[in-house]
Amino acid sequence: MLENLIIVSLVMISVGYFIGSIPFGVIIAKLFKLGNLREIGSGNTGATNVLRTGNKLAAFLTLILDGSKGALVFFLLDTR
């Protein structure tokens, strides 16, 4: 029982870390050909820096995708 709990916890932590580390801002910037996002504005990969490129759609998509990371992990790992 305890071994299963430890394994499930480690899997949950690993999946959460992996999904949280996906840089959607960089991916969206490449798809929209906005340049290297890390060299624009503040260098951050978030939606605000994507907005600094002038592309509101790309910024909105980045915001939605970044914001949904936590919800995705929650729904994927819901153990009820």
Side-chain angles (χ1 to χ4, degrees):
M1 179 78 172
L2 181 60
E3 294 85 16
N4 289 339
L5 180 62
I6 291 171
I7 291 171
V8 169
S9 296
L10 288 174
V11 168
M12 291 174 69
I13 290 168
S14 299
V15 170
Y17 182 82
F18 173 74
I19 292 175
S21 69
I22 299 171
F24 283 117
V26 173
I27 294 168
I28 296 293
K30 284 186 181 183
L31 288 175
F32 281 76
K33 296 181 172 123
L34 302 174
N36 186 354
L37 195 59
R38 293 182 181 121
E39 295 176 356
I40 299 170
S42 66
N44 194 335
T45 62
T48 301
N49 210 34
V50 175
L51 185 60
R52 288 185 180 120
T53 66
N55 194 318
K56 291 181 182 179
L57 177 60
F60 177 73
L61 290 174
T62 302
L63 179 68
I64 296 300
L65 289 171
D66 276 345
S68 64
K69 286 182 199 179
L72 178 64
V73 172
F74 176 77
F75 287 116
L76 284 177
L77 302 175
D78 188 17
T79 58
R80 285 188 268 160

Coordinates of all heavy atoms in Angstrom, one line a residue:
M1 N 0.8 -1.2 0.0 CA 0.0 0.0 0.0 C 0.9 1.3 0.0 O 0.7 2.1 -0.8 CB -0.9 0.0 1.2 CG -1.8 1.1 1.3 SD -3.2 1.0 0.2 CE -4.1 2.4 0.7
L2 N 1.8 1.3 0.9 CA 2.7 2.5 1.0 C 3.6 2.6 -0.3 O 3.8 3.7 -0.8 CB 3.6 2.4 2.2 CG 4.5 3.6 2.4 CD1 3.8 4.9 2.6 CD2 5.4 3.4 3.7
E3 N 4.0 1.4 -0.8 CA 4.8 1.5 -2.0 C 4.0 2.0 -3.2 O 4.6 2.8 -4.0 CB 5.3 0.0 -2.4 CG 6.3 -0.5 -1.3 CD 5.6 -1.2 -0.2 OE1 4.3 -1.5 -0.3 OE2 6.2 -1.4 0.8
N4 N 2.8 1.7 -3.3 CA 1.9 2.2 -4.4 C 1.7 3.7 -4.2 O 1.8 4.4 -5.2 CB 0.6 1.5 -4.4 CG 0.6 0.0 -4.8 OD1 1.6 -0.3 -5.5 ND2 -0.4 -0.7 -4.5
L5 N 1.6 4.2 -3.0 CA 1.4 5.6 -2.8 C 2.6 6.4 -3.2 O 2.6 7.4 -3.8 CB 1.0 5.9 -1.3 CG 0.8 7.3 -0.9 CD1 -0.4 7.9 -1.7 CD2 0.6 7.4 0.6
I6 N 3.8 5.8 -2.9 CA 5.1 6.4 -3.2 C 5.2 6.5 -4.7 O 5.6 7.5 -5.3 CB 6.2 5.7 -2.5 CG1 6.2 6.0 -1.0 CG2 7.6 6.2 -3.1 CD1 7.2 5.1 -0.2
I7 N 4.9 5.4 -5.4 CA 5.0 5.3 -6.9 C 4.1 6.3 -7.5 O 4.5 7.0 -8.4 CB 4.8 3.9 -7.4 CG1 6.0 3.0 -6.9 CG2 4.7 3.8 -8.9 CD1 5.8 1.5 -7.2
V8 N 2.8 6.3 -7.1 CA 1.9 7.2 -7.7 C 2.3 8.7 -7.4 O 2.2 9.5 -8.3 CB 0.5 7.0 -7.1 CG1 -0.5 8.1 -7.4 CG2 -0.1 5.7 -7.6
S9 N 2.8 9.0 -6.3 CA 3.3 10.3 -6.0 C 4.4 10.7 -6.9 O 4.5 11.9 -7.4 CB 3.7 10.4 -4.5 OG 2.6 10.2 -3.6
L10 N 5.4 9.8 -7.1 CA 6.5 10.1 -7.9 C 6.1 10.3 -9.4 O 6.6 11.2 -10.1 CB 7.6 9.0 -7.8 CG 8.4 9.0 -6.5 CD1 9.3 7.7 -6.5 CD2 9.2 10.2 -6.3
V11 N 5.1 9.5 -9.8 CA 4.6 9.7 -11.2 C 3.9 11.1 -11.3 O 4.1 11.8 -12.3 CB 3.7 8.6 -11.6 CG1 2.9 8.9 -12.9 CG2 4.5 7.3 -11.7
M12 N 3.1 11.4 -10.3 CA 2.4 12.7 -10.4 C 3.4 13.9 -10.4 O 3.2 14.8 -11.1 CB 1.4 12.8 -9.2 CG 0.3 11.9 -9.3 SD -0.8 11.8 -7.8 CE -1.5 13.4 -7.9
I13 N 4.4 13.8 -9.6 CA 5.4 14.9 -9.5 C 6.1 15.0 -10.8 O 6.3 16.1 -11.4 CB 6.4 14.6 -8.3 CG1 5.6 14.9 -7.0 CG2 7.6 15.5 -8.5 CD1 6.4 14.4 -5.8
S14 N 6.5 13.8 -11.4 CA 7.2 13.8 -12.7 C 6.4 14.4 -13.8 O 6.9 15.2 -14.6 CB 7.7 12.4 -13.0 OG 8.6 11.9 -12.0
V15 N 5.2 13.9 -13.9 CA 4.3 14.4 -15.0 C 4.0 15.9 -14.8 O 4.1 16.7 -15.8 CB 3.0 13.6 -15.0 CG1 1.9 14.2 -15.9 CG2 3.2 12.2 -15.4
G16 N 3.8 16.3 -13.6 CA 3.5 17.8 -13.4 C 4.8 18.6 -13.7 O 4.6 19.7 -14.3
Y17 N 5.9 18.1 -13.4 CA 7.2 18.8 -13.7 C 7.4 18.9 -15.2 O 7.7 20.0 -15.8 CB 8.4 18.2 -13.0 CG 9.7 18.9 -13.3 CD1 10.0 19.9 -12.5 CD2 10.5 18.4 -14.3 CE1 11.2 20.6 -12.8 CE2 11.7 19.1 -14.5 CZ 12.1 20.2 -13.8 OH 13.2 20.8 -14.0
F18 N 7.1 17.8 -15.9 CA 7.3 17.7 -17.3 C 6.4 18.7 -18.1 O 6.8 19.5 -18.9 CB 7.1 16.3 -17.9 CG 7.1 16.2 -19.4 CD1 8.3 16.3 -20.1 CD2 5.9 16.0 -20.1 CE1 8.3 16.3 -21.4 CE2 5.9 16.0 -21.4 CZ 7.1 16.1 -22.1
I19 N 5.1 18.6 -17.7 CA 4.1 19.5 -18.4 C 4.4 21.0 -18.0 O 4.2 21.8 -18.9 CB 2.7 19.1 -18.0 CG1 2.4 17.7 -18.6 CG2 1.6 20.1 -18.4 CD1 1.0 17.1 -18.3
G20 N 4.7 21.2 -16.8 CA 5.0 22.6 -16.4 C 6.2 23.2 -17.1 O 6.4 24.4 -17.2
S21 N 7.1 22.3 -17.6 CA 8.4 22.8 -18.2 C 8.2 23.1 -19.7 O 9.2 23.5 -20.3 CB 9.5 21.8 -17.9 OG 9.3 20.7 -18.6
I22 N 7.1 22.9 -20.2 CA 6.9 23.1 -21.7 C 6.8 24.6 -21.9 O 5.9 25.3 -21.4 CB 5.6 22.4 -22.2 CG1 5.7 20.9 -22.0 CG2 5.4 22.8 -23.7 CD1 4.5 20.1 -22.3
P23 N 7.7 25.2 -22.7 CA 7.7 26.7 -22.9 C 6.8 27.1 -24.0 O 7.2 27.2 -25.2 CB 9.1 27.0 -23.2 CG 9.6 25.8 -23.9 CD 8.9 24.6 -23.2
F24 N 5.5 27.2 -23.8 CA 4.5 27.4 -24.8 C 4.8 28.8 -25.5 O 4.5 28.9 -26.7 CB 3.1 27.4 -24.3 CG 2.6 26.0 -24.1 CD1 2.2 25.6 -22.9 CD2 2.5 25.1 -25.2 CE1 1.8 24.3 -22.7 CE2 2.0 23.8 -25.0 CZ 1.6 23.4 -23.7
G25 N 5.3 29.7 -24.8 CA 5.6 31.0 -25.4 C 6.7 30.9 -26.5 O 6.5 31.4 -27.6
V26 N 7.7 30.1 -26.3 CA 8.7 29.8 -27.3 C 8.2 29.1 -28.5 O 8.4 29.4 -29.6 CB 9.9 29.1 -26.7 CG1 10.9 28.6 -27.7 CG2 10.6 29.9 -25.6
I27 N 7.3 28.1 -28.2 CA 6.7 27.3 -29.2 C 5.8 28.1 -30.1 O 5.9 28.1 -31.3 CB 6.0 26.1 -28.6 CG1 6.9 25.1 -27.9 CG2 5.1 25.4 -29.7 CD1 6.3 24.1 -27.1
I28 N 5.0 28.9 -29.5 CA 4.0 29.8 -30.2 C 4.8 30.8 -31.0 O 4.5 31.1 -32.2 CB 3.0 30.5 -29.3 CG1 2.1 29.4 -28.6 CG2 2.2 31.5 -30.0 CD1 1.2 28.7 -29.5
A29 N 5.9 31.4 -30.4 CA 6.7 32.4 -31.2 C 7.3 31.8 -32.4 O 7.4 32.4 -33.4 CB 7.7 33.0 -30.2
K30 N 7.8 30.5 -32.3 CA 8.4 29.9 -33.5 C 7.3 29.6 -34.5 O 7.5 29.7 -35.7 CB 9.1 28.6 -33.1 CG 10.4 28.8 -32.4 CD 11.1 27.6 -32.1 CE 12.5 27.9 -31.4 NZ 13.3 26.7 -31.2
L31 N 6.1 29.1 -34.1 CA 5.0 28.8 -35.0 C 4.6 30.1 -35.8 O 4.3 30.0 -37.0 CB 3.9 28.2 -34.3 CG 4.0 26.8 -33.8 CD1 2.8 26.3 -33.0 CD2 4.3 25.8 -35.0
F32 N 4.6 31.2 -35.1 CA 4.1 32.5 -35.7 C 5.3 33.2 -36.3 O 5.1 34.3 -36.8 CB 3.4 33.3 -34.7 CG 2.0 32.9 -34.4 CD1 1.7 31.8 -33.6 CD2 1.0 33.7 -34.9 CE1 0.4 31.5 -33.4 CE2 -0.4 33.3 -34.7 CZ -0.7 32.2 -33.9
K33 N 6.5 32.7 -36.3 CA 7.7 33.3 -36.8 C 7.9 34.7 -36.3 O 8.1 35.7 -37.0 CB 7.6 33.3 -38.3 CG 7.6 31.9 -38.9 CD 7.6 31.9 -40.4 CE 7.8 30.5 -40.9 NZ 6.8 30.0 -41.7
L34 N 7.9 34.8 -34.9 CA 8.1 36.1 -34.2 C 9.5 36.3 -33.8 O 9.8 37.3 -33.2 CB 7.1 36.1 -33.0 CG 5.7 35.9 -33.3 CD1 4.9 35.9 -32.0 CD2 5.2 37.1 -34.2
G35 N 10.4 35.4 -34.1 CA 11.8 35.6 -33.7 C 12.1 34.8 -32.4 O 11.2 34.1 -31.8
N36 N 13.3 35.0 -31.9 CA 13.7 34.3 -30.6 C 13.1 35.1 -29.5 O 13.5 36.2 -29.2 CB 15.2 34.3 -30.5 CG 15.7 33.5 -29.4 OD1 14.9 33.0 -28.5 ND2 17.0 33.3 -29.3
L37 N 12.1 34.5 -28.8 CA 11.4 35.2 -27.7 C 12.3 35.6 -26.6 O 12.1 36.6 -25.9 CB 10.3 34.3 -27.2 CG 9.2 35.0 -26.4 CD1 8.6 36.1 -27.1 CD2 8.2 33.9 -25.9
R38 N 13.4 34.8 -26.4 CA 14.3 35.1 -25.3 C 15.2 36.3 -25.5 O 15.9 36.8 -24.6 CB 15.2 33.9 -25.0 CG 14.3 32.7 -24.5 CD 15.2 31.5 -24.1 NE 14.3 30.5 -23.7 CZ 14.2 29.3 -24.2 NH1 15.0 29.0 -25.3 NH2 13.5 28.3 -23.7
E39 N 15.2 36.8 -26.8 CA 16.0 38.0 -27.1 C 15.1 39.3 -27.3 O 15.5 40.3 -27.7 CB 16.8 37.8 -28.4 CG 17.8 36.7 -28.2 CD 18.6 36.4 -29.4 OE1 18.2 36.9 -30.5 OE2 19.5 35.6 -29.4
I40 N 13.8 39.1 -27.1 CA 12.8 40.2 -27.2 C 12.3 40.7 -25.9 O 12.1 39.9 -25.0 CB 11.6 39.7 -28.1 CG1 12.0 39.2 -29.5 CG2 10.5 40.8 -28.2 CD1 11.0 38.5 -30.3
G41 N 12.2 42.0 -25.7 CA 11.6 42.5 -24.5 C 12.4 42.1 -23.3 O 13.6 42.3 -23.2
S42 N 11.7 41.5 -22.3 CA 12.3 41.1 -21.1 C 13.1 39.8 -21.2 O 13.8 39.4 -20.2 CB 11.2 41.0 -20.0 OG 10.4 39.9 -20.3
G43 N 12.9 39.1 -22.2 CA 13.5 37.8 -22.4 C 12.7 36.6 -21.8 O 13.1 35.5 -21.9
N44 N 11.6 37.0 -21.1 CA 10.8 36.0 -20.5 C 10.0 35.2 -21.6 O 9.8 35.8 -22.7 CB 9.8 36.7 -19.6 CG 9.1 35.7 -18.6 OD1 8.9 34.5 -18.9 ND2 8.6 36.2 -17.5
T45 N 9.6 34.0 -21.3 CA 8.8 33.2 -22.4 C 7.3 33.3 -22.2 O 6.6 32.5 -22.8 CB 9.3 31.8 -22.4 OG1 9.0 31.2 -21.1 CG2 10.8 31.7 -22.7
G46 N 6.8 34.2 -21.3 CA 5.4 34.2 -21.1 C 4.6 35.0 -22.0 O 5.1 35.6 -23.0
A47 N 3.3 35.1 -21.8 CA 2.4 35.8 -22.7 C 2.6 37.3 -22.8 O 2.5 37.8 -23.9 CB 0.9 35.5 -22.2
T48 N 3.0 37.9 -21.7 CA 3.3 39.3 -21.8 C 4.4 39.7 -22.8 O 4.3 40.6 -23.6 CB 3.7 39.9 -20.4 OG1 2.6 39.6 -19.5 CG2 3.9 41.4 -20.4
N49 N 5.5 38.8 -22.8 CA 6.6 39.1 -23.7 C 6.2 38.7 -25.1 O 6.6 39.4 -26.1 CB 7.8 38.3 -23.3 CG 9.1 39.0 -23.7 OD1 9.1 40.2 -23.7 ND2 10.1 38.2 -24.0
V50 N 5.3 37.7 -25.3 CA 4.8 37.4 -26.6 C 4.0 38.6 -27.1 O 4.1 39.0 -28.3 CB 4.0 36.1 -26.6 CG1 3.4 35.9 -28.0 CG2 4.8 34.9 -26.2
L51 N 3.2 39.2 -26.2 CA 2.4 40.4 -26.6 C 3.3 41.5 -27.1 O 3.0 42.3 -28.0 CB 1.6 40.8 -25.5 CG 0.6 42.0 -25.7 CD1 -0.4 41.6 -26.8 CD2 -0.2 42.3 -24.4
R52 N 4.5 41.6 -26.5 CA 5.5 42.7 -26.9 C 5.9 42.6 -28.4 O 6.4 43.5 -29.0 CB 6.7 42.7 -26.0 CG 6.4 43.2 -24.6 CD 7.7 43.3 -23.8 NE 7.3 43.8 -22.5 CZ 7.6 43.1 -21.3 NH1 8.1 41.9 -21.4 NH2 7.2 43.6 -20.2
T53 N 5.7 41.4 -29.0 CA 6.0 41.2 -30.4 C 5.0 41.8 -31.3 O 5.2 42.0 -32.4 CB 6.1 39.7 -30.7 OG1 4.9 39.1 -30.6 CG2 7.2 39.0 -29.9
G54 N 3.8 42.2 -30.7 CA 2.7 42.8 -31.4 C 1.7 41.9 -31.9 O 0.7 42.3 -32.5
N55 N 1.8 40.6 -31.6 CA 0.9 39.6 -32.1 C -0.1 39.2 -31.0 O 0.3 38.4 -30.1 CB 1.6 38.4 -32.7 CG 0.7 37.5 -33.4 OD1 -0.4 37.2 -33.1 ND2 1.2 37.0 -34.6
K56 N -1.3 39.8 -31.0 CA -2.2 39.5 -29.9 C -2.7 38.1 -29.9 O -3.0 37.5 -28.8 CB -3.4 40.5 -30.0 CG -3.0 41.9 -29.7 CD -4.2 42.8 -29.8 CE -3.8 44.3 -29.5 NZ -4.9 45.2 -29.6
L57 N -2.9 37.5 -31.1 CA -3.4 36.1 -31.1 C -2.3 35.2 -30.5 O -2.7 34.3 -29.7 CB -3.7 35.7 -32.6 CG -4.1 34.2 -32.7 CD1 -5.4 33.9 -32.0 CD2 -4.3 33.9 -34.2
A58 N -1.1 35.4 -30.8 CA 0.0 34.5 -30.3 C 0.0 34.7 -28.7 O 0.2 33.7 -28.0 CB 1.3 34.9 -30.9
A59 N -0.1 35.9 -28.3 CA -0.1 36.2 -26.8 C -1.3 35.5 -26.1 O -1.1 34.9 -25.1 CB -0.1 37.7 -26.5
F60 N -2.5 35.6 -26.8 CA -3.6 34.9 -26.2 C -3.5 33.4 -26.1 O -3.8 32.8 -25.1 CB -4.9 35.3 -27.0 CG -6.1 34.6 -26.5 CD1 -6.7 35.1 -25.4 CD2 -6.7 33.6 -27.2 CE1 -7.9 34.5 -24.9 CE2 -7.9 33.0 -26.8 CZ -8.5 33.4 -25.6
L61 N -3.0 32.8 -27.2 CA -2.7 31.4 -27.2 C -1.7 31.0 -26.1 O -1.9 29.9 -25.5 CB -2.3 30.9 -28.6 CG -3.3 31.0 -29.7 CD1 -2.7 30.6 -31.0 CD2 -4.5 30.1 -29.4
T62 N -0.7 31.8 -26.0 CA 0.3 31.5 -25.0 C -0.3 31.5 -23.6 O -0.1 30.7 -22.7 CB 1.5 32.5 -25.1 OG1 2.1 32.4 -26.4 CG2 2.6 32.2 -24.0
L63 N -1.1 32.6 -23.4 CA -1.8 32.7 -22.1 C -2.7 31.5 -21.8 O -2.6 31.0 -20.7 CB -2.6 34.0 -22.1 CG -3.4 34.3 -20.8 CD1 -2.4 34.6 -19.7 CD2 -4.3 35.5 -21.0
I64 N -3.5 31.1 -22.7 CA -4.4 30.0 -22.5 C -3.6 28.7 -22.3 O -3.9 27.9 -21.4 CB -5.3 29.8 -23.7 CG1 -6.3 31.1 -23.8 CG2 -6.2 28.6 -23.6 CD1 -7.1 31.3 -22.6
L65 N -2.6 28.4 -23.1 CA -1.8 27.2 -23.0 C -1.1 27.2 -21.7 O -1.0 26.1 -21.0 CB -0.9 27.0 -24.2 CG -1.6 26.7 -25.5 CD1 -0.7 26.7 -26.6 CD2 -2.3 25.3 -25.4
D66 N -0.4 28.3 -21.3 CA 0.3 28.3 -20.0 C -0.6 28.2 -18.8 O -0.3 27.5 -17.9 CB 1.1 29.6 -19.9 CG 2.4 29.6 -20.6 OD1 2.9 28.5 -20.9 OD2 3.1 30.6 -20.8
G67 N -1.8 28.8 -18.9 CA -2.7 28.7 -17.8 C -3.4 27.4 -17.7 O -3.8 27.0 -16.6
S68 N -3.4 26.6 -18.8 CA -4.1 25.3 -18.7 C -3.2 24.2 -18.3 O -3.6 23.1 -18.1 CB -4.7 25.0 -20.1 OG -3.7 24.9 -21.1
K69 N -1.9 24.5 -18.1 CA -1.0 23.5 -17.7 C -1.4 22.8 -16.4 O -1.4 21.6 -16.2 CB 0.4 24.0 -17.5 CG 1.1 24.3 -18.8 CD 2.5 24.8 -18.4 CE 3.2 25.6 -19.6 NZ 4.5 26.1 -19.2
G70 N -1.7 23.7 -15.4 CA -2.1 23.2 -14.1 C -3.4 22.4 -14.2 O -3.5 21.3 -13.5
A71 N -4.4 22.8 -14.9 CA -5.6 22.1 -15.1 C -5.4 20.8 -15.8 O -6.0 19.8 -15.4 CB -6.6 23.0 -15.8
L72 N -4.6 20.7 -16.7 CA -4.3 19.5 -17.5 C -3.7 18.5 -16.5 O -4.1 17.3 -16.5 CB -3.3 19.8 -18.6 CG -2.9 18.6 -19.4 CD1 -4.1 18.0 -20.1 CD2 -1.8 19.0 -20.4
V73 N -2.7 18.9 -15.7 CA -2.1 17.9 -14.8 C -3.2 17.4 -13.8 O -3.3 16.2 -13.5 CB -1.0 18.6 -14.0 CG1 -0.5 17.7 -12.9 CG2 0.2 18.9 -15.0
F74 N -4.0 18.3 -13.3 CA -5.1 17.9 -12.4 C -6.0 16.9 -13.0 O -6.3 15.9 -12.4 CB -5.9 19.2 -11.9 CG -7.0 18.9 -11.1 CD1 -6.8 18.6 -9.7 CD2 -8.3 18.9 -11.6 CE1 -7.9 18.3 -8.9 CE2 -9.4 18.6 -10.8 CZ -9.2 18.3 -9.4
F75 N -6.5 17.1 -14.2 CA -7.4 16.2 -14.8 C -6.7 14.9 -15.3 O -7.3 13.8 -15.2 CB -8.1 16.8 -16.0 CG -9.1 17.9 -15.6 CD1 -8.9 19.2 -16.0 CD2 -10.2 17.5 -14.9 CE1 -9.9 20.1 -15.6 CE2 -11.1 18.4 -14.5 CZ -11.0 19.8 -14.9
L76 N -5.5 14.9 -15.7 CA -4.8 13.7 -16.0 C -4.5 12.8 -14.8 O -4.5 11.6 -14.9 CB -3.4 14.0 -16.7 CG -3.4 14.5 -18.1 CD1 -2.0 14.9 -18.6 CD2 -4.0 13.5 -19.1
L77 N -4.2 13.4 -13.7 CA -3.8 12.7 -12.5 C -4.9 12.6 -11.5 O -4.7 12.1 -10.4 CB -2.6 13.3 -11.9 CG -1.4 13.3 -12.9 CD1 -0.2 14.0 -12.2 CD2 -1.0 12.0 -13.3
D78 N -6.2 12.9 -11.8 CA -7.3 12.8 -10.9 C -7.5 11.3 -10.6 O -7.7 10.5 -11.5 CB -8.5 13.4 -11.5 CG -9.6 13.5 -10.5 OD1 -9.3 13.4 -9.3 OD2 -10.8 13.6 -10.9
T79 N -7.3 10.9 -9.3 CA -7.3 9.5 -8.9 C -8.6 9.1 -8.4 O -8.7 8.0 -7.8 CB -6.2 9.2 -7.9 OG1 -6.4 10.1 -6.8 CG2 -4.8 9.5 -8.6
R80 N -9.7 9.8 -8.5 CA -11.0 9.4 -8.0 C -11.6 8.3 -8.8 O -11.4 8.0 -9.9 CB -12.0 10.6 -8.0 CG -11.7 11.5 -6.9 CD -12.7 12.5 -6.7 NE -12.3 13.7 -7.6 CZ -13.2 14.6 -8.0 NH1 -14.4 14.5 -7.7 NH2 -12.7 15.6 -8.7

